[in-house]
Amino acid sequence: MEALIFELSCPGRIGHSLPEIDTDDYAAAIPAELRRESLDLPELSELDVMRHFVRLSQLNYSIDSGFYPLGSCTMKYNPKINEDAASLPGFYHLHPMQPEYEIQGALQIQYELQEMLMALAGMDACTLQPAAGAHGEFTGMALVRAYHRSRGDADRNLVLIPDSAHGTNPATCTSLGMTVMSLKTGADGNVDMTVLERALAENQGKVAGMMITVPSTLGQFEPNIVKIADLLHAAGALLYCDGANMNAMVGEIRPGDLGVDVLHINLHKTFTTPHGGGGPGSGPVACKAHLAPFLPTPVVAKEGDRYVMQTPEHTIGKVRAFWGNFGMHIRAYTYIRQQGASGLKQVSRDAVLNANYIRTQLQDTIPPAHDRPCMHEVVLTGKRLKQETGVKTLDVVKRLMDYGYHAPTIYFPLIVEECMLIEPTETESRETMDGFIAAMKAIVAEAHSDPELVKSAPHNTQLGRLDEVTAARDPKLRWLPSDPRDEESAWGSGRNPNLVSKLEPLTRD
Ligand SMILES: Cc1ncc(COP(=O)(O)O)c(C=O)c1O
């Protein structure tokens, strides 16, 4: 196992050469109580540091190194041309406080990206500001709320959310101070229309809208979506679509044509901007004309041959500093321009084809939760396997790591027992998927012949099975040399007691 960088430290070794300080004026500028004699930093050469981090990076699993079927996350390959475009010095060195006339090229990219997303979504207006999908949801639902308030309909604060929606949907409403009503999904995985009709009838004048994930987290297209939109509109409510799963329908279906009023799109899923690890994403929101006046400020507009920043008339205000995650906009723009309309259509067709290939190849091994074709991802259930062998879904995916694959999403969606959510994406070849399918079949065979082998997996990884409850409840988020309450050993003799008392709560995490 790779040692910690502190453990590699060798007293006196240095990896830098800085000029001697020929003044002690700097000392006067720092109040005495804030000065430290020692930082207790690890002492290593440049080569030690380089090798340590390269070794760590090689322990990492990434889409560039292997199949990553993490459902709901659309971990598809990000073409490197996107990176080239985002690294062009003219973009890379832009400063967000440059005046409009100096950044016309950047604004043009943003304007054209807005237009392309509107065309793909069937919408009339767009903001690129939200920093990720959940932030897009927040922005979109803030538009819904502002719309109702502008009409004197402030009592509309209830949002209907099917239980097959992404978990961020209810969280979004709660953070906006809206009330959530969860709608139980029918046995077929679709919205239960009777449940919806009852909810609307019982809450007349109170429903702000419905948030629906299309395709749902069950990997199913909602066949009643148009009827759902009609029912909501007739009740004075709006339809929000969580469009983060656009990879299943981009170029084929426009949510705006289905009656959706507003949606967000995850650029970091559908349009190949990198994501994961909490890195920068981008969750633009596109909406119909009646919501456009409430969009966050600024939006990029075109006046004659100039691109300008505008503030919509009844804007909800700012949701993000400056112009959003501009680097992600360039990457998505590059990808869309590179694919063209026909390429994007092929993306969704291949994504759906690949998911159905996995579904049909595995149906006798681990059955799908719903016995019908899926969209871009498939939900399997390990319920039968658990009954027959005692091996749980968690065990199966831990064993997958021994076979060299990243685990799919598990135990989500919550409404399917022992579930696995597998999203192969369109960028994977048949050979890759066949390898994964063979691994799954081998693991299920092992579960029958030697269940302990699977239950104790992984065996070939740097660390074996972790205690997940302790990891979640008592995470160690940073390294400390010894008990943090032992001030001298932890921070050296120059430690400032005031600073330390602020740090202590952190160290106990
Ligand atoms: C369907 C769906 N909605 C919303 C989100 C939230 O997006 P983000 O993680 O960018 O906030 C995701 C994330 O993958 C998603 O799959």
Side-chain angles (χ1 to χ4, degrees), residues 8 13 41 67 80 139 143 146 154 180 213 243 278 323 347 351 371-372 375 394 483 498 506 509:
L8 296 174
R13 187 167 292 167
L41 293 175
F67 185 45
K80 298 305 166 227
T139 306
L143 300 183
V180 173
T213 306
W323 328 125
V347 160
D371 191 15
R372 62 169 162 151
M375 296 292 283
L394 176 72
D483 188 331
N498 297 328
L506 263 182
D509 281 350

mmCIF file of all heavy atoms in Angstrom, residues 8 13 41 67 80 139 143 146 154 180 213 243 278 323 347 351 371-372 375 394 483 498 506 509:
data_model
loop_
_atom_site.group_PDB
_atom_site.id
_atom_site.type_symbol
_atom_site.label_atom_id
_atom_site.label_comp_id
_atom_site.label_asym_id
_atom_site.label_seq_id
_atom_site.Cartn_x
_atom_site.Cartn_y
_atom_site.Cartn_z
ATOM 1 N N LEU A 8 6.665 9.333 4.305
ATOM 2 C CA LEU A 8 7.825 9.277 3.407
ATOM 3 C C LEU A 8 8.856 10.348 3.760
ATOM 4 O O LEU A 8 9.956 10.381 3.205
ATOM 5 C CB LEU A 8 7.375 9.481 1.950
ATOM 6 C CG LEU A 8 6.444 8.412 1.373
ATOM 7 C CD1 LEU A 8 5.958 8.825 -0.014
ATOM 8 C CD2 LEU A 8 7.172 7.077 1.294
ATOM 9 N N ARG A 13 15.526 16.753 4.016
ATOM 10 C CA ARG A 13 15.463 16.645 2.543
ATOM 11 C C ARG A 13 14.575 17.770 2.001
ATOM 12 O O ARG A 13 13.512 18.047 2.553
ATOM 13 C CB ARG A 13 14.889 15.285 2.159
ATOM 14 C CG ARG A 13 14.947 15.033 0.672
ATOM 15 C CD ARG A 13 14.678 13.592 0.341
ATOM 16 N NE ARG A 13 15.746 12.727 0.812
ATOM 17 C CZ ARG A 13 15.666 11.410 0.872
ATOM 18 N NH1 ARG A 13 14.567 10.801 0.507
ATOM 19 N NH2 ARG A 13 16.676 10.682 1.294
ATOM 20 N N LEU A 41 5.842 20.285 7.948
ATOM 21 C CA LEU A 41 5.489 19.773 6.619
ATOM 22 C C LEU A 41 6.398 18.590 6.288
ATOM 23 O O LEU A 41 7.509 18.488 6.802
ATOM 24 C CB LEU A 41 5.673 20.871 5.561
ATOM 25 C CG LEU A 41 4.719 22.053 5.679
ATOM 26 C CD1 LEU A 41 5.077 23.122 4.660
ATOM 27 C CD2 LEU A 41 3.279 21.607 5.495
ATOM 28 N N PHE A 67 -13.918 0.572 -17.965
ATOM 29 C CA PHE A 67 -15.390 0.654 -18.067
ATOM 30 C C PHE A 67 -15.962 1.155 -16.732
ATOM 31 O O PHE A 67 -15.591 0.669 -15.664
ATOM 32 C CB PHE A 67 -15.906 -0.749 -18.379
ATOM 33 C CG PHE A 67 -17.375 -0.853 -18.634
ATOM 34 C CD1 PHE A 67 -18.029 0.043 -19.455
ATOM 35 C CD2 PHE A 67 -18.119 -1.898 -18.075
ATOM 36 C CE1 PHE A 67 -19.389 -0.077 -19.713
ATOM 37 C CE2 PHE A 67 -19.480 -2.031 -18.322
ATOM 38 C CZ PHE A 67 -20.108 -1.124 -19.144
ATOM 39 N N LYS A 80 -10.814 14.244 -26.157
ATOM 40 C CA LYS A 80 -9.757 15.162 -25.711
ATOM 41 C C LYS A 80 -9.735 16.472 -26.495
ATOM 42 O O LYS A 80 -9.118 17.447 -26.060
ATOM 43 C CB LYS A 80 -8.384 14.469 -25.776
ATOM 44 C CG LYS A 80 -8.313 13.254 -24.852
ATOM 45 C CD LYS A 80 -8.667 13.606 -23.391
ATOM 46 C CE LYS A 80 -8.920 12.366 -22.560
ATOM 47 N NZ LYS A 80 -10.125 12.407 -21.736
ATOM 48 N N THR A 139 -32.290 26.532 -9.607
ATOM 49 C CA THR A 139 -32.565 27.712 -10.436
ATOM 50 C C THR A 139 -33.918 27.557 -11.135
ATOM 51 O O THR A 139 -34.745 28.478 -11.141
ATOM 52 C CB THR A 139 -31.438 27.886 -11.479
ATOM 53 O OG1 THR A 139 -30.183 27.920 -10.790
ATOM 54 C CG2 THR A 139 -31.608 29.143 -12.298
ATOM 55 N N LEU A 143 -37.461 29.699 -10.697
ATOM 56 C CA LEU A 143 -38.223 30.360 -11.779
ATOM 57 C C LEU A 143 -39.710 30.045 -11.625
ATOM 58 O O LEU A 143 -40.567 30.922 -11.776
ATOM 59 C CB LEU A 143 -37.762 29.867 -13.156
ATOM 60 C CG LEU A 143 -36.310 30.071 -13.577
ATOM 61 C CD1 LEU A 143 -36.094 29.574 -15.007
ATOM 62 C CD2 LEU A 143 -35.909 31.539 -13.479
ATOM 63 N N ALA A 146 -41.072 32.048 -8.790
ATOM 64 C CA ALA A 146 -41.186 33.476 -9.144
ATOM 65 C C ALA A 146 -42.365 33.703 -10.082
ATOM 66 O O ALA A 146 -43.089 34.707 -9.977
ATOM 67 C CB ALA A 146 -39.887 33.947 -9.800
ATOM 68 N N ALA A 154 -49.104 33.155 -4.652
ATOM 69 C CA ALA A 154 -48.024 32.791 -3.725
ATOM 70 C C ALA A 154 -48.316 31.536 -2.913
ATOM 71 O O ALA A 154 -47.417 30.948 -2.313
ATOM 72 C CB ALA A 154 -47.724 33.965 -2.797
ATOM 73 N N VAL A 180 -42.750 19.194 -0.409
ATOM 74 C CA VAL A 180 -42.704 18.092 -1.377
ATOM 75 C C VAL A 180 -43.775 17.061 -1.059
ATOM 76 O O VAL A 180 -43.975 16.693 0.102
ATOM 77 C CB VAL A 180 -41.319 17.399 -1.321
ATOM 78 C CG1 VAL A 180 -41.308 16.146 -2.186
ATOM 79 C CG2 VAL A 180 -40.223 18.368 -1.746
ATOM 80 N N THR A 213 -38.279 13.178 -13.510
ATOM 81 C CA THR A 213 -37.015 12.828 -14.150
ATOM 82 C C THR A 213 -37.334 11.963 -15.363
ATOM 83 O O THR A 213 -37.972 10.930 -15.235
ATOM 84 C CB THR A 213 -36.118 12.056 -13.153
ATOM 85 O OG1 THR A 213 -35.982 12.830 -11.962
ATOM 86 C CG2 THR A 213 -34.747 11.788 -13.733
ATOM 87 N N GLY A 243 -33.656 17.016 -16.642
ATOM 88 C CA GLY A 243 -33.133 16.584 -17.948
ATOM 89 C C GLY A 243 -31.718 16.059 -17.880
ATOM 90 O O GLY A 243 -31.034 15.978 -18.906
ATOM 91 N N GLY A 278 -16.647 15.929 -7.268
ATOM 92 C CA GLY A 278 -17.045 17.282 -6.896
ATOM 93 C C GLY A 278 -16.429 18.349 -7.765
ATOM 94 O O GLY A 278 -16.482 19.537 -7.463
ATOM 95 N N TRP A 323 -19.876 34.251 -14.888
ATOM 96 C CA TRP A 323 -20.655 33.735 -16.038
ATOM 97 C C TRP A 323 -20.880 32.219 -15.997
ATOM 98 O O TRP A 323 -21.127 31.599 -17.004
ATOM 99 C CB TRP A 323 -19.959 34.086 -17.369
ATOM 100 C CG TRP A 323 -19.206 35.382 -17.358
ATOM 101 C CD1 TRP A 323 -17.905 35.566 -17.674
ATOM 102 C CD2 TRP A 323 -19.713 36.680 -17.021
ATOM 103 N NE1 TRP A 323 -17.556 36.879 -17.539
ATOM 104 C CE2 TRP A 323 -18.646 37.590 -17.137
ATOM 105 C CE3 TRP A 323 -20.970 37.158 -16.619
ATOM 106 C CZ2 TRP A 323 -18.784 38.944 -16.871
ATOM 107 C CZ3 TRP A 323 -21.104 38.516 -16.351
ATOM 108 C CH2 TRP A 323 -20.025 39.372 -16.484
ATOM 109 N N VAL A 347 -25.834 9.280 -30.728
ATOM 110 C CA VAL A 347 -25.427 9.146 -29.323
ATOM 111 C C VAL A 347 -26.546 8.494 -28.521
ATOM 112 O O VAL A 347 -26.364 7.487 -27.832
ATOM 113 C CB VAL A 347 -25.090 10.533 -28.726
ATOM 114 C CG1 VAL A 347 -25.137 10.521 -27.206
ATOM 115 C CG2 VAL A 347 -23.727 11.006 -29.216
ATOM 116 N N ALA A 351 -26.646 4.765 -26.919
ATOM 117 C CA ALA A 351 -26.720 4.648 -25.452
ATOM 118 C C ALA A 351 -27.854 3.698 -25.074
ATOM 119 O O ALA A 351 -27.706 2.832 -24.201
ATOM 120 C CB ALA A 351 -26.940 6.024 -24.826
ATOM 121 N N ASP A 371 -39.739 -5.864 -16.834
ATOM 122 C CA ASP A 371 -39.571 -6.731 -17.980
ATOM 123 C C ASP A 371 -40.001 -6.006 -19.266
ATOM 124 O O ASP A 371 -41.010 -6.346 -19.881
ATOM 125 C CB ASP A 371 -40.411 -8.003 -17.756
ATOM 126 C CG ASP A 371 -40.056 -9.053 -18.794
ATOM 127 O OD1 ASP A 371 -39.017 -8.891 -19.452
ATOM 128 O OD2 ASP A 371 -40.839 -10.010 -18.942
ATOM 129 N N ARG A 372 -39.276 -4.977 -19.612
ATOM 130 C CA ARG A 372 -39.542 -4.256 -20.863
ATOM 131 C C ARG A 372 -38.279 -3.490 -21.243
ATOM 132 O O ARG A 372 -37.400 -3.283 -20.380
ATOM 133 C CB ARG A 372 -40.736 -3.331 -20.731
ATOM 134 C CG ARG A 372 -40.566 -2.240 -19.712
ATOM 135 C CD ARG A 372 -41.682 -1.210 -19.825
ATOM 136 N NE ARG A 372 -41.761 -0.412 -18.615
ATOM 137 C CZ ARG A 372 -42.183 0.838 -18.579
ATOM 138 N NH1 ARG A 372 -42.574 1.439 -19.636
ATOM 139 N NH2 ARG A 372 -42.219 1.509 -17.456
ATOM 140 N N MET A 375 -34.260 2.538 -21.352
ATOM 141 C CA MET A 375 -33.647 3.637 -22.113
ATOM 142 C C MET A 375 -32.128 3.494 -21.994
ATOM 143 O O MET A 375 -31.596 2.460 -22.290
ATOM 144 C CB MET A 375 -34.160 4.986 -21.607
ATOM 145 C CG MET A 375 -35.646 5.191 -21.825
ATOM 146 S SD MET A 375 -36.095 5.351 -23.579
ATOM 147 C CE MET A 375 -35.600 7.018 -23.933
ATOM 148 N N LEU A 394 -24.368 -5.628 -2.896
ATOM 149 C CA LEU A 394 -23.114 -4.990 -2.463
ATOM 150 C C LEU A 394 -21.935 -5.941 -2.676
ATOM 151 O O LEU A 394 -20.872 -5.542 -3.162
ATOM 152 C CB LEU A 394 -23.216 -4.606 -0.991
ATOM 153 C CG LEU A 394 -21.948 -4.009 -0.380
ATOM 154 C CD1 LEU A 394 -21.722 -2.598 -0.909
ATOM 155 C CD2 LEU A 394 -22.021 -3.966 1.136
ATOM 156 N N ASP A 483 -2.836 12.295 18.606
ATOM 157 C CA ASP A 483 -4.057 12.867 19.147
ATOM 158 C C ASP A 483 -4.071 14.386 18.933
ATOM 159 O O ASP A 483 -3.166 15.096 19.378
ATOM 160 C CB ASP A 483 -4.112 12.559 20.655
ATOM 161 C CG ASP A 483 -5.464 12.969 21.235
ATOM 162 O OD1 ASP A 483 -6.065 13.919 20.694
ATOM 163 O OD2 ASP A 483 -5.899 12.323 22.195
ATOM 164 N N ASN A 498 -4.952 30.283 19.799
ATOM 165 C CA ASN A 498 -6.261 30.757 19.319
ATOM 166 C C ASN A 498 -6.672 30.025 18.040
ATOM 167 O O ASN A 498 -7.802 29.605 17.857
ATOM 168 C CB ASN A 498 -6.217 32.264 19.014
ATOM 169 C CG ASN A 498 -5.921 33.038 20.265
ATOM 170 O OD1 ASN A 498 -6.310 32.615 21.348
ATOM 171 N ND2 ASN A 498 -5.206 34.138 20.120
ATOM 172 N N LEU A 506 -12.641 20.497 13.795
ATOM 173 C CA LEU A 506 -12.356 19.827 12.528
ATOM 174 C C LEU A 506 -11.603 18.526 12.752
ATOM 175 O O LEU A 506 -11.897 17.512 12.149
ATOM 176 C CB LEU A 506 -11.450 20.728 11.679
ATOM 177 C CG LEU A 506 -12.101 21.602 10.638
ATOM 178 C CD1 LEU A 506 -11.030 22.366 9.905
ATOM 179 C CD2 LEU A 506 -12.888 20.728 9.666
ATOM 180 N N ASP A 509 -13.460 15.330 13.453
ATOM 181 C CA ASP A 509 -14.340 14.725 12.444
ATOM 182 C C ASP A 509 -13.862 13.343 12.051
ATOM 183 O O ASP A 509 -12.685 13.121 11.918
ATOM 184 C CB ASP A 509 -14.381 15.603 11.180
ATOM 185 C CG ASP A 509 -15.312 16.769 11.390
ATOM 186 O OD1 ASP A 509 -16.013 16.755 12.402
ATOM 187 O OD2 ASP A 509 -15.303 17.667 10.540
#
